[in-house]
Amino acid sequence: KEALDAVGRAISLEPEEASFHAFRAFILAGLKKSSDARAAAELAVTLDPDSDYAHSALAAAYLSASQWTKAEESARKALDL
């Protein structure tokens, strides 16, 4: 909860910072809030398509939703960057 609140504050200060959204996605994935995690990660990837961290967050979001193929695709994209 505290981490989610802290990253929310960071996002409110710098909403265009992809790494903040990616970090939020990792937290949400850990909390098994898959849909919210995917939305945060997709925003991170949109903001910075060349970010391996954003693609890793997307992979984590897909893993939390048991979407194995999409998780693998995102993880491979992260490794390629």
Side-chain angles (χ1 to χ4, degrees):
K1 171 82 172 121
E2 288 179 34
L4 200 53
D5 290 344
V7 78
R9 287 190 300 275
I11 289 170
S12 71
L13 295 171
E14 291 189 51
E16 300 298 314
E17 179 55 51
S19 64
F20 295 163
H21 294 281
F23 187 57
R24 183 172 186 272
F26 277 116
I27 295 168
L28 291 165
L31 295 172
K32 300 296 183 195
K33 296 186 176 191
S34 304
S35 178
D36 293 337
R38 190 182 78 238
E42 287 175 345
L43 179 54
V45 169
T46 298
L47 291 170
D48 188 355
D50 296 324
S51 168
D52 59 340
Y53 188 61
H55 286 279
S56 295
L58 188 55
Y62 284 133
L63 280 175
S64 74
S66 301
Q67 294 182 338
W68 315 120
T69 302
K70 289 183 177 184
E72 181 182 6
E73 290 169 1
S74 294
R76 289 186 186 280
K77 177 68 175 177
L79 289 171
D80 288 342
L81 293 172

